Structure formats: C-alpha cells, structure tokens
Amino acid sequence: VHRRKKLSCDPEYVNKAHKEGRFLSPPVSGRPSSSCVFVVRKDQDIYIQTLRKLFNESHGIFIGLQRSEEEFAGKSRKTQLVQVSKNYRSVIRACMEDMHQAAVSARDPALHSQYSTQVSILSAMELIWNLCEILFVEAAVAGPLLLRLLDWVRLHVCDVDNMVREVLSSENPSKHELFWNVVDVFVLQGRMDEARHLLSKEASANPTSVNMCRILDDLMKKMPVPSLGNTQTLTEMELKWQHWHEECQRYLQDGTFASNSHMESICKILLGDENAILEKKELMTTWYHFLVTRLLYSHPTVKPMELRFYAQSSMDLFLGGESSPEPLDTILMAAFEFELHQVIKECSIALSNWWFVAHLTDLLDHCKLLQSHNLYFGSNMREFLLLEYASGLFSHYSLWQLGVDYFDHCPEYGRVYLELHIERIPLNTEQKALKVLRICEQRQMHEQVRSICKIMAMKALRNNRLGSALSWSIRAKDAAFATLISDRFLKDYCEKGCFSDLDLIDNLGPSMLLSDRLTFLGKYREFHRLYGEKRFSEAAKLLLMLMTAHIAPCSFWMTLLTDALPLLEQKEVIFSAEQTYELMRCLEDLTAGKSDKQKFQDDDVETMKVEMLRLALARNLARVIVKEGTLEGS
Amino acid sequence: GDWHCTASWKTHSGSVWRVTWAHPEFGQVLASCSFDRTAAVWEEIVGESNDKLRGQSHWVKRTTLVDSRTSVTDVKFAPKHIGLMLATCSADGVVRIYEAPDVMNLSQWSLQHEISCKLSCSCISWNPSSSRAHSPMIAVGSDDNSPNILAKVQIYEYSENTRKYAKAEALMTVTDPVHDIAFAPNLGRSFHILAVATKDVRIFTLKPLRKELTSSGGLTKFEIHIAAQFDNHNSQVWRVSWNITGTVLASSGDDGCVRLWKANYMDNWKCTGILKGNGSPVNGSSQQGIFNASLGSANTSLQNSLNGSSAGRYFFPPLDSPRAGSRWSSHAQLLPPPPLIEHSCDADTANLQYPHPRRRCVSRPLNLLPENEGV
C-alpha cells in the first residue's frame, strides 16, 4: 500500500533552534529516522478490505443512477428511484453479511470486535437509509405509510429473535415461561397471524381460557389494516377501525379478560393504551418501535406530516427522562420531522466517512428533494459531499479509479478536482501510468497528459532507458524532448557503434515527424537496415539525401560520410557520378567550414579520415566515369 | 510502511533552513537554503543497482547560489508552467529569482530578478495558479522583530510591460512577525487564497480588481478580505500547508499541535482536527468541525489516545478503554447466523436481521455538539 503524506508536501525538518539560540536537536541518527515522520490519514475506512464491496458496488449503482436521468417521468420515475434505493440497501446488507462472516471467523479478539462494530454501524446505516427511503424516496402516503413503517420495525428489531425461536421450538410452547412475551412481541409488531397461531396453542392447552382466546383471536382477525392497493379509501378504513376499536373497548370494559392479565394487557394494547404498550418496553427496545406500535393501534391512517408530533412524544415517553438522545436517535428524529438537511448534517457528523451521506444526498437530489428544500445549497451540497467522498478515494492505490467517475458527475468542480488529484497519483509502474493516461486522454485533459508523459520520460531517461523515454515523448508530442533523446541515441551510436531499442526506432511510423532530429534518427536507422539487407543503391541514395536535404545535423555529417566509405569501397560501383560529386561537395563544405585553428587542433585520426574519404571518392569517381562512359553503362 | 533514510549528507556550513522539491517533470530535484548564505540545487543520480536494493540514493549538487550576503531563509520552485525557476529570500530582505533556461542542464542558473523588500524576509510562496488571467506572483513574509507597524506580508507580481517584479500589495493588517506563508492551489477561482503563519493562523482572499492600465507596469490591484483568523494555537504559528485541492489547511504551532482547517460549502472556516506531534488526535478536542474529519494514525503500533469525550463525532459512546485504530464502541451483540426471513417488501433481497446499536436503558449522557451555524 502506498503511503501518502496528507499534511505536508516536503519532508521538512527545520532546525529553527539555531537561530533562536535554544537547541532542539532532531533525534540523533543511529535509530532509523522513521520516528520523526508520521503519516496521518483520514478516511481510514477505505482501507478496510471487507468494505471494498460496498465501495465498488455502490459505485455501479451511482453511475447507473446518473445515467438514467429523466428517462421516465412521474410514477415510473419514482419506482425507478425506489429500486435504486433498495439496491443501495442490499449492498449494505451484503457487506454486513461479509463483515459478520469475518467477525465470526476472526481469531484475534481485537479484530473480532472491530468487525462486530462495523456490522453494527452498517446496520445503523441501513436503518436510517430504509427510513429515508420510506419517507422521502417513496414518500409513502397515509395508509401505506404505516405498513412500510411496520415492515421497517420488523426488520430492525431482532433482539427478540432468540426468544421467539426458543419458544416456538419448544415442545409445549404455551407452557414456556416466555410464551406470553412472544405473543406480546407479535402483537407489538402487528404480526397478527402469528399471534393468533400461538393463541390457538394456548386455547388447546388450557381449556379454561378457550373462550377468551376465541374472542381475542376474533378481534385480531378483524382488525382493519390499511391496504396497499386502492381497495378502500382512508375514510372507509377509518370508519371500520372506529367500529372495531369500540368493540375492543366493550370487551375490555365487560371484564372479559379480567381473569387473564396477559390477555387483558393485550386487549389494552389493541386499544392503543400508551401505558400498556410502555410496560412492554423491554420487548420493543427502541422508541421508534414504540412509535410505530402506538400509531398502529391509535392512528393507523397517520399522515406523513403528522409523524413529527408522534415521534417527539414517543421518544419522550419511552426515554422517560432517564437518558438523552444518542446520535442515532437525533438522525431518526430529524427524518420523522422531514428535516432532510438536518438528517444529512447529523449523519455527516456521526459517521466516519463520506460514503453514506454522499450517496444518500445524491439520491435525494435525484428525487428533486434538495432543490425544493433550499435553493441555495441544494445541488451545491450534493456536489460538496461527492467531492469529499471522491477525494478520499484518491488516496487509495486502487479505489481512486472509482473516484474518477464521481468527479465526472460533479458539474462545477469535478473536472478541476480530477485534474489536481490525478497528477498526484504515484506512477509506480508503466501500467498504472498508462491507465492514468487513458483516463486523461478520454477527458481531453491535455495538460495532464503532457505532464504525465514528461514525468515518465524523465524517469526513463534518468534510468537510461532511452527507448521508453522516446516513446513517452512521442506520446506527449513533446518535440523538444524527442530531439534531446534522439541526440542521446545518436551519441550512443557514435560511442558504441550500434543502436539500442531497434524495435522502437524501426516502427516509428508517422510519429517520426515529431521532430527533425527524430526523423533523422529514423531515417538513419533505415539506412543501416538497407545496408544490412544489401540494398546498396537504395542505402546510398538515402545516405546522400540525409545530407543534401539537411535532415542530418551538421555535426553528424562526418559520421555519415564515414558510413559512405564501405559503399565506396564495394566491388561494384554504387554511387553515380553525380552522387559522387555531391558527396565531394558535402565533404568540402564540411572541411571548409572549419577554421584554420580547428584544422590545426584536429588530431591525426580526423585528418586521416578526411584523406581516406577524398581518396575513396576520387577512386569512385574514376570508376564511375569509366562505367558511365561505356556503351552499356548509364 | 516505515520511513527510512535513503541519503544523508553534510554540505552547508550552517543550519539548513528549508528544503523543497521541484516538480517531477524536471526529474528528482531538490533545493536547499541555509544560514551559510547559500542555496543549492540537488539532483538524484540513479546509482548502482546494489544501492537501490539497500535503499540508498545518491544526490549530487548541481549548483550553488551565492549571491546572498545574509542567511537565506527560504527557497521555493516556481509553478511548472513558468518553467524551471526558483526564488530565494534572505535575512537582509532581498528576494532573488533564478532561472535554468535549459531544463536538462541543472548547473546553469541565471539570476533574473532581485527584489528588495526593505524588511528581513522569512518565507516566500509562489502563486500556483496557471490561469492565463494571472501573472506570476510571489508572496513574501517578514519576521522583522523591531517594533513597527509595517506590513509583514508583501505581494509581488510580474509585469509583462516592465518585465520586472513589482510590489502589488501589502497586507497592512499583518504587523507581527510572519513565519510561513502559502498560496492555496487555485481550482479555477478568479481570486487567490493566502494562508499566513504569524502569531495566529490567518487566511486571506485576494480578489483581483481590474488592472490599472495607466499605472506603471499594469499591476493588479486587489481587494483583500480576511476569510478566517484562528488563535487556537495560543502561541506562535510556525508552518502552514495546503492540501491538493486547497480545501484543507494544516498549521503547526508552538503549542506542539497540528491543526486542520476546512471551509464548509458556505465558506465558513472551522477546525476539523487537532493532532499531537506524533499524529495522534488530541483528547477531548472541543473544536468540532461541522463535517467530521476523523483522524487516526495509519501506523497501528502508535497508541491511539482517543477517549469518548469528543462524543459528537462518535456514533455510540465508547464503553471502555480505546482501541488502537478504532473509534467505535461495540455494545451491540452479534447473534449466531440468523435464519433468513423473507419479507414481501424486500422480496428481492434476503434479509438478515442484525442488531443495530440500540440504546441502553442507562447510558452515559453525551456531550452534545456545540451549535454550528450554517452547514
């Protein structure tokens, strides 16, 4: 894992003490200096392996959501958004499962507790998200609202599961000491069928209570519940409910259940008696469970906007002044009060990374909820949170790739954030550099492309990997650097007599034209190839052209002329008379260009070379004149 | 993930005040400045493969800049779009700007500009903005100790007309010695943000007004605002440094702490973290950022000295002693793998019932978050 320093760019350790007159000497060497450099990181969560799935899959959902913009409208759009919300939640749950497995299989107790904690946190996140989905994304209306809330509670209260299982699996459930607790649980959660099933067991086991069971069973069966479809209107339901409520009332007042305190308390619950419900605090464990139970039995047709009153009073009643709200409670309360802004703020404070708020806010923004809430920071807040989240991803050696897509969908600052971050990705390997490059090229981030190629070219050049340096300069279209590297190649050739990276030079193609020096390099190599393939006359023509067309730098002419020697010495005459005259002219240009002083300084080798060339040229000229002069020659 | 020293060499004949990296486009290049009145440029040479295996690197000096007659207090490379340039500042108040015309030849530097600041200089910062609307700009800080009310931060800007740097602005409100100064990365803004380390932390915004075409050199005039001022260090602030996007500022002070500052999307600056010298968060840091920047040490062997008093950050109050690397408590029980229960509403996903953190009947009262306006 690549460590990145967040706090400063320079490995600075300044001894100011010298100036101040007091000495604060740095830790003396002898120990490795790792004790003076501390790497501090935020967004630790991105390094947790088991959360990787969360980040990867939510990324896919996020992208899908951005791209689905306005495909549908109205009701189908809402269904679509609800589906997206469910997808996010299923990712959270999948992550919880993984985390749970990890916790179970962890030997190290510290690790076990860390995983367990993570499971709790994910569970809380899913709880909040689920509520937001019901209230905001689906925007459930009175009627279905209660049903959704009931589902929500059932899903998230599980402390009682053990007890339920124990009682149900026992031989004689109705004799179990916790039997009535379980019945209560079912009633509190509105699970009437299951409650009735248990009651029947009690009826068959206990003949004296058969009558009471039958009546209670009947009441439970007849209890009106809001329907999901349009089979009845709210007023119809309310009317039915009123009648039913009155019937329950009559049975209670008649003392029907007087002999069985359990059943009497159940009847009171059915009547929505707050105290009766509150007595079962331990079975509900949370104030929001209490809230939903209350609503079920006192106001099942509650409207969304009425929730806030019930929520506040439920919490007050449940807590009873013993304890104050915890962060989770504050968040849920804000949701019940439809204070979206507050929900997001509280979540940002409570959670350790931006994942949750960024994705939730984005979804709410797509539901057009933030904009209507407050025009000023609606979409700005979405972008702000996404930028924070994505920036955090960039410090990770592989998750940064997800961050790119998030930046893409931040219209105001996304691009510039991407530009700044992508330049700081450590380019440890060529593959990574190519990956980063491709991303920049796709987005027309030309300056970043140029910069990255330059950095890679420099690195290669420093390590004497000329071929790599050259290909990076070509990719950057950096003519100046390409010239420089070509010069290095040529210099190497002069010293070693051969080329490195032949493959690259042979296959330059049109990129050869990037710089004159590069063109020369390519053509010069071609000359060598032709010579190697014994295509002498072509080689000769090319060689001459390199000089006459001034593709070759003057400094290289001597080398080229020396290269011409073997061609001149061949048995067969290669250079034509005209070509020979050209060569001679080049030689004369070259030597004439030198001042007398330079000629004086030329060592014997140089003068000998020139002499040899003159001789060879003259000899060639002689032969070629004869050849061209004869009848067959031309 | 440990840091180890790959090269160490003695070269200056006095304390080395600062070192700075050039952009990797120029290779592996460092500059240093010293009490011995010189600044030097260094390049890393790729050594023998053995050295690399042993984790050693070789640095050679490419050039020594000897023009200063007093201690050179800061050296900084210019933003790469300007070329290979660096600026030095000295105790006698002279800022020098050098350029290496051939980026491949680090031994050739020529002195391009000498700016006399009249006050002893302690720090410089180049404006990193590569926008064509912004000319090259340097901020210079002074730690002049003599009692006066002269501005200790000056802004110099390059003028195309005169081809010289000239003073564009002085921050009159900064009259205490300045120890460090840093422009924030630009992000495409039209205005600049400058952080100053002095007796407190200050963040200024400089908004360019229309260039005065008639004035000599066509220098920009700026509208200066102070975006934030924090005296939480309660002592001299020595260093300030920006993150990549210029959204978080880190400051360090004589109180031995590093503080992190961040603006929310309403542009209100708040503290988002306090660290001790070894990187561990400070206990009970009452400065709560609106947006939580939870900080922990990456090195798990370091003791994480958190406790639960900065409760606003935490989801659940920690129960007992802190665990390294973890800020969460765990008083939710983990059940054995529960049966999967189908629900009509979530038919597409199998449901696991998990304990989410529930309130206990008796829980410690939490420190509620202080009221934060304007999230």
Side-chain angles (χ1 to χ4, degrees):
Chain A
V1 173
H2 182 89
R3 301 283 184 198
R4 292 266 305 273
K5 288 193 282 174
K6 283 260 176 190
L7 292 185
S8 81
C9 307
D10 305 330
E12 227 175 73
Y13 196 94
V14 177
N15 188 354
K16 273 278 180 185
H18 199 288
K19 193 170 166 196
E20 306 287 5
R22 60 195 160 97
F23 279 81
L24 302 160
S25 43
V28 179
S29 57
R31 293 191 58 204
S33 34
S34 58
S35 54
C36 6
V37 181
F38 298 96
V39 179
V40 179
R41 199 191 301 275
K42 68 188 205 51
D43 296 325
Q44 277 275 62
D45 289 350
I46 57 176
Y47 291 93
I48 300 175
Q49 186 61 30
T50 28
L51 285 181
R52 194 65 67 85
K53 183 191 280 198
L54 184 72
F55 300 126
N56 277 314
E57 303 209 358
S58 61
H59 165 262
I61 301 172
F62 174 84
I63 299 297
L65 176 59
Q66 310 310 307
R67 290 189 184 146
S68 76
E69 190 61 61
E70 308 302 349
E71 260 171 38
F72 313 104
K75 199 144 189 208
S76 44
R77 175 73 174 153
K78 181 185 274 196
T79 322
Q80 198 186 25
L81 291 169
V82 171
Q83 188 55 49
V84 168
S85 180
K86 286 190 154 82
N87 289 344
Y88 274 124
R89 284 198 295 124
S90 69
V91 169
I92 299 177
R93 295 199 90 96
C95 213
M96 271 166 61
E97 282 190 49
D98 288 347
M99 201 68 83
H100 174 79
Q101 287 307 317
V104 160
S105 54
R107 298 274 175 77
D108 174 22
L111 208 55
H112 170 91
S113 76
Q114 189 186 27
Y115 285 134
S116 311
T117 315
Q118 279 297 334
V119 174
S120 295
I121 295 166
L122 286 168
S123 166
M125 292 208 289
E126 204 268 335
L127 173 78
I128 299 168
W129 194 301
N130 198 343
L131 182 62
C132 289
E133 179 184 306
I134 296 169
L135 298 178
F136 308 129
V137 185
E138 193 180 343
V141 294
L145 176 60
L146 182 71
L147 294 176
R148 292 275 185 257
L149 287 175
L150 270 174
D151 282 330
W152 177 66
V153 161
R154 287 172 194 156
L155 232 102
H156 291 102
V157 178
C158 39
D159 291 17
V160 295
D161 284 1
N162 262 348
M163 183 176 65
V164 171
R165 238 197 319 278
E166 209 182 293
V167 170
L168 287 179
S169 55
S170 73
E171 268 202 37
N172 229 334
S174 52
K175 293 281 183 280
H176 199 289
E177 58 171 352
L178 297 173
F179 171 77
W180 285 106
N181 282 358
V182 176
V183 179
D184 285 338
V185 165
F186 288 147
V187 171
L188 291 166
Q189 292 184 16
R191 289 152 76 175
M192 292 318 193
D193 292 335
E194 294 167 78
R196 289 172 55 214
H197 176 70
L198 278 184
L199 267 183
S200 68
K201 288 211 195 304
E202 162 71 6
S204 50
N206 202 343
T208 47
S209 55
V210 163
N211 212 28
M212 287 190 284
C213 286
R214 200 175 38 81
I215 296 172
L216 198 55
D217 177 87
D218 197 52
L219 286 175
M220 286 182 182
K221 193 166 67 173
K222 287 198 295 194
M223 178 172 107
V225 279
S227 67
L228 275 173
N230 288 330
T231 52
Q232 62 178 10
T233 63
L234 274 181
T235 21
E236 271 174 28
M237 195 227 138
E238 272 170 6
L239 210 57
K240 275 196 224 171
W241 192 83
Q242 205 54 44
H243 286 308
W244 174 82
H245 190 91
E246 281 162 12
E247 193 180 343
C248 294
Q249 190 76 30
R250 273 197 303 274
Y251 278 116
L252 183 70
Q253 279 169 351
D254 285 347
T256 323
F257 303 107
S259 56
N260 187 324
S261 62
H262 296 292
M263 287 202 254
E264 188 171 61
S265 113
I266 289 175
C267 187
K268 285 185 182 166
I269 292 174
L270 291 181
L271 284 167
D273 184 326
E274 270 168 21
N275 293 323
I277 302 174
L278 266 178
E279 269 171 36
K280 311 292 175 186
K281 227 172 165 172
E282 287 303 313
L283 298 177
M284 292 187 288
T285 68
T286 62
W287 63 269
Y288 33 97
H289 186 337
F290 175 56
L291 163 68
V292 176
T293 305
R294 254 180 96 195
L295 290 172
L296 173 63
Y297 293 116
S298 61
H299 191 29
T301 54
V302 63
K303 297 195 190 50
M305 285 307 150
E306 295 170 336
L307 277 176
R308 66 183 62 212
F309 309 112
Y310 288 99
Q312 190 58 57
S313 60
S314 298
M315 184 157 88
D316 293 337
L317 284 168
F318 193 88
L319 296 186
E322 276 175 12
S323 38
S324 37
E326 291 176 1
L328 176 57
D329 300 325
T330 326
I331 294 169
L332 295 173
M333 184 60 72
F336 284 121
E337 291 173 350
F338 281 78
E339 296 285 349
L340 262 178
H341 204 210
Q342 194 69 16
V343 173
I344 295 168
K345 170 181 171 182
E346 296 290 339
C347 288
S348 305
I349 294 168
L351 290 167
S352 68
N353 71 38
W354 301 103
W355 180 86
F356 184 81
V357 281
H359 288 87
L360 181 63
T361 309
D362 174 62
L363 177 61
L364 294 175
D365 188 63
H366 276 88
C367 298
K368 306 269 193 274
L369 287 171
L370 291 180
Q371 292 158 11
S372 64
H373 233 80
N374 189 320
L375 280 168
Y376 177 63
F377 28 73
S379 51
N380 278 357
M381 182 158 69
R382 167 192 172 272
E383 179 154 324
F384 182 87
L385 295 172
L386 285 174
L387 289 172
E388 284 298 319
Y389 173 65
S391 297
L393 289 175
F394 260 86
S395 57
H396 190 274
Y397 66 92
S398 76
L399 287 177
W400 62 269
Q401 295 168 81
L402 302 180
V404 175
D405 289 320
Y406 285 97
F407 282 143
D408 282 343
H409 293 283
C410 293
E412 221 182 311
Y413 284 113
R415 190 185 170 87
V416 67
Y417 265 66
L418 181 59
E419 284 173 5
L420 290 169
H421 274 109
I422 212 153
E423 266 193 347
R424 305 292 284 245
I425 294 177
L427 305 171
N428 312 337
T429 62
E430 282 237 346
Q431 292 98 306
K432 197 160 186 192
L434 288 170
K435 208 185 271 193
V436 174
L437 262 186
R438 232 174 287 129
I439 289 171
C440 295
E441 280 164 357
Q442 279 168 356
R443 288 157 181 77
Q444 277 95 45
M445 287 164 45
H446 302 299
E447 170 55 31
Q448 280 67 31
V449 170
R450 188 206 60 79
S451 182
I452 289 166
C453 291
K454 188 63 181 284
I455 294 171
M456 296 305 286
M458 271 306 267
K459 235 193 249 184
L461 189 62
R462 278 178 52 234
N463 285 291
N464 226 16
R465 289 181 287 116
L466 292 180
S468 178
L470 184 59
S471 53
W472 284 112
S473 331
I474 291 173
R475 186 146 185 180
K477 302 208 188 7
D478 190 342
F481 213 60
T483 302
L484 199 133
I485 297 171
S486 309
D487 270 333
R488 283 280 288 267
F489 267 116
L490 294 166
K491 189 162 137 259
D492 274 2
Y493 169 76
C494 290
E495 286 169 13
K496 299 185 195 139
C498 64
F499 283 111
S500 56
D501 301 286
L502 283 175
D503 260 345
L504 175 66
I505 304 172
D506 281 342
N507 293 305
L508 280 173
S511 46
M512 202 190 289
L513 300 171
L514 179 63
S515 98
D516 284 345
R517 197 55 47 82
L518 186 59
T519 316
F520 169 63
L521 179 65
K523 291 282 173 205
Y524 187 53
R525 164 62 199 151
E526 199 183 319
F527 162 73
H528 279 273
R529 235 175 351 105
L530 290 170
Y531 187 93
E533 290 168 15
K534 298 204 191 312
R535 289 150 71 180
F536 293 130
S537 53
E538 285 175 69
K541 221 190 291 182
L542 178 57
L543 184 68
L544 191 56
M545 189 266 284
L546 288 176
M547 283 187 281
T548 52
H550 291 281
I551 299 177
C554 293
S555 52
F556 219 75
W557 280 20
M558 201 58 208
T559 315
L560 288 177
L561 289 167
T562 319
D563 283 334
L565 264 176
L567 291 171
L568 292 165
E569 306 278 306
Q570 289 284 338
K571 257 215 289 194
E572 219 192 294
V573 169
I574 299 166
F575 287 101
S576 71
E578 209 182 306
Q579 285 173 327
T580 317
Y581 280 127
E582 285 284 346
L583 283 172
M584 286 169 141
R585 193 177 57 77
C586 289
L587 181 60
E588 288 316 307
D589 279 347
L590 195 58
T591 50
K594 290 189 187 175
S595 68
D596 285 323
K597 190 163 168 225
Q598 274 176 307
K599 279 189 201 155
F600 202 70
Q601 286 172 340
D602 273 350
D603 58 2
D604 287 331
V605 176
E606 276 299 301
T607 34
M608 198 175 84
K609 257 202 242 172
V610 174
E611 286 305 314
M612 275 183 69
L613 272 169
R614 288 218 174 96
L615 184 58
L617 282 167
R619 273 215 291 263
N620 193 63
L621 191 57
R623 285 161 62 197
V624 79
I625 287 174
V626 169
K627 181 177 165 215
E628 283 172 11
T630 60
L631 276 168
E632 61 195 38
S634 105
Chain B
D2 270 341
W3 289 84
H4 55 268
C5 183
T6 62
S8 151
W9 64 101
K10 181 162 161 53
T11 173
H12 287 287
S13 37
S15 289
V16 179
W17 294 131
R18 307 223 194 198
V19 289
T20 184
W21 293 96
H23 194 277
E25 273 186 40
F26 301 116
Q28 290 280 79
V29 178
L30 277 176
S32 61
C33 66
S34 164
F35 182 71
D36 70 359
R37 307 192 299 273
T38 67
V41 177
W42 308 86
E43 188 177 12
E44 187 184 20
I45 294 302
V46 176
E48 305 294 313
S49 49
N50 280 341
D51 292 326
K52 225 176 177 173
L53 286 170
R54 281 189 287 137
Q56 296 301 305
S57 59
H58 294 283
W59 291 80
V60 295
K61 187 195 292 207
R62 289 302 186 206
T63 194
T64 317
L65 306 170
V66 297
D67 303 87
S68 176
R69 284 185 286 279
T70 54
S71 165
V72 183
T73 50
D74 200 358
V75 60
K76 290 281 193 311
F77 282 101
K80 65 172 156 81
H81 69 269
I82 298 184
L84 187 51
M85 290 177 92
L86 58 79
T88 61
C89 69
S90 306
D92 61 0
V94 181
V95 171
R96 293 181 175 85
I97 298 176
Y98 298 85
E99 185 176 16
D102 178 5
V103 304
M104 296 307 298
N105 182 1
L106 294 172
S107 354
Q108 293 300 331
W109 292 80
S110 65
L111 176 60
Q112 300 283 75
H113 304 275
E114 247 180 16
I115 306 168
S116 184
C117 298
K118 311 272 189 329
L119 283 176
S120 148
C121 303
S122 61
C123 50
I124 40 176
S125 172
W126 287 93
N127 187 343
S129 168
S130 56
S131 153
R132 254 172 259 154
H134 300 142
S135 317
M137 192 188 295
I138 299 186
V140 185
S142 162
D143 59 350
D144 188 281
N145 238 327
S146 50
N148 59 48
I149 50 155
L150 294 171
K152 299 294 194 297
V153 174
Q154 300 169 50
I155 315 278
Y156 289 88
E157 197 187 14
Y158 182 74
S159 156
E160 275 301 334
N161 302 8
T162 60
R163 300 195 182 241
K164 278 202 178 48
Y165 281 83
K167 179 144 85 164
E169 202 58 75
L171 302 183
M172 305 303 305
T173 52
V174 185
T175 51
D176 299 283
V178 168
H179 307 295
D180 200 13
I181 198 166
F183 273 106
N186 188 265
L187 280 195
R189 278 181 256 105
S190 61
F191 60 92
H192 313 294
I193 299 182
L194 183 66
V196 179
T198 167
K199 68 167 190 219
D200 50 25
V201 176
R202 280 184 227 186
I203 303 175
F204 291 92
T205 58
L206 291 89
K207 191 152 69 155
L209 302 170
R210 247 174 10 103
K211 280 197 187 214
E212 304 281 331
L213 295 166
T214 51
S215 72
S216 63
L219 284 178
T220 322
K221 287 265 168 265
F222 294 95
E223 192 185 303
I224 303 169
H225 290 288
I226 181 144
Q229 186 165 358
F230 300 110
D231 59 2
N232 303 69
H233 284 283
N234 213 17
S235 53
Q236 293 295 318
V237 180
W238 285 102
R239 291 287 181 266
V240 282
S241 179
W242 291 97
N243 71 340
I244 298 177
T245 45
T247 45
V248 178
L249 177 70
S251 65
S252 64
D254 260 340
D255 61 343
C257 290
V258 172
R259 280 157 210 274
L260 297 160
W261 313 93
K262 192 172 162 58
N264 66 6
Y265 61 89
M266 293 268 277
D267 275 330
N268 290 329
W269 289 85
K270 299 256 163 128
C271 178
T272 60
I274 310 174
L275 305 173
K276 295 210 276 255
N278 63 359
S280 54
V282 165
N283 290 348
S285 28
S286 54
Q287 286 279 351
Q288 294 294 334
I290 291 172
F291 287 91
N292 184 28
S294 39
L295 299 153
S297 174
N299 191 341
T300 49
S301 64
L302 290 176
Q303 266 315 303
N304 188 319
S305 48
L306 280 175
N307 65 28
S309 55
S310 40
R313 294 184 174 183
Y314 304 106
F315 221 44
F316 324 113
L319 286 177
D320 31 358
S321 56
R323 273 173 293 277
S326 149
R327 294 159 303 99
W328 308 95
S329 74
S330 137
H331 59 132
Q333 312 116 10
L334 209 59
L335 299 175
L340 301 179
I341 303 167
E342 292 295 311
H343 270 272
S344 53
C345 295
D346 292 78
D348 52 335
T349 61
N351 299 313
L352 283 178
Q353 292 216 348
Y354 263 93
H356 59 272
R358 61 174 175 83
R359 68 173 29 266
R360 305 174 114 219
C361 291
V362 180
S363 56
R364 258 194 300 173
L366 293 176
N367 300 333
L368 291 178
L369 259 195
E371 210 21 73
N372 293 310
E373 3 75 46
V375 167

